[in-house]
Amino acid sequence: MYDILVYLFENYYTPQACPRAEILASKLAAAGFEHDDIDDALTWLRELAQTTEQYLDLALKPQTSSAPRIYTDEEYRTLGTEAIGFIVFLENSGALPPPMREILIGCAQATNEGPLSLAEIKVLALMVLWSQEAEVDHLIFEELLADDSQRSPH
């Protein structure tokens, strides 16, 4: 599923440029993706749209509070410490405002996996930002695209 999400990001400049689900599924199959992965990705994208709609009211309200987000035990099990740390990093850098953070958390939980790896949460964050057509600082963008397996230990 994650490979498909990266493929969509790389091949469609905006979410509106993506074809309808049926056509997209055909294009993804033609590109060599497995049908189960295509179904998972399309389901996740539907969940992203539903979660975005759910938090639309929150996004329209002015953000005056800087209180930290408290994660539930279930969120810790689903996301894992590494993913939560990365979400906090994105939030502190200004790349992930609270409404988008909530969308990301909701969509991460929709993967029904856990805990998520750093690479997985990066792809999901990238897709949430892409879906909202958010402007992202160049350095944050590079961090989202960084392959952590290629980094040398410090």
Side-chain angles (χ1 to χ4, degrees), residues 39-81:
D39 290 342
D40 289 347
L42 293 178
T43 299
W44 188 86
L45 289 169
R46 278 191 295 278
E47 181 70 28
L48 172 61
Q50 291 171 349
T51 304
T52 299
E53 215 172 283
Q54 179 183 354
Y55 287 102
L56 190 58
D57 290 340
L58 181 61
L60 297 175
K61 292 180 183 175
Q63 302 298 315
T64 56
S65 174
S66 61
R69 168 70 155 75
I70 305 299
Y71 291 86
T72 66
D73 289 341
E74 181 183 338
E75 289 169 335
Y76 264 103
R77 279 190 299 278
T78 303
L79 298 170
T81 306

Side-chain angles (χ1 to χ4, degrees), residues 117-131:
S117 71
L118 183 58
E120 290 167 337
I121 196 65
K122 283 183 176 187
V123 170
L124 298 182
L126 184 65
M127 292 306 294
V128 167
L129 293 168
W130 174 77
S131 74

Side-chain angles (χ1 to χ4, degrees), residues 102-118:
E102 295 306 314
I103 293 168
L104 176 57
I105 291 168
C107 289
Q109 290 183 295
T111 63
N112 295 320
E113 299 173 14
L116 296 176
S117 71
L118 183 58

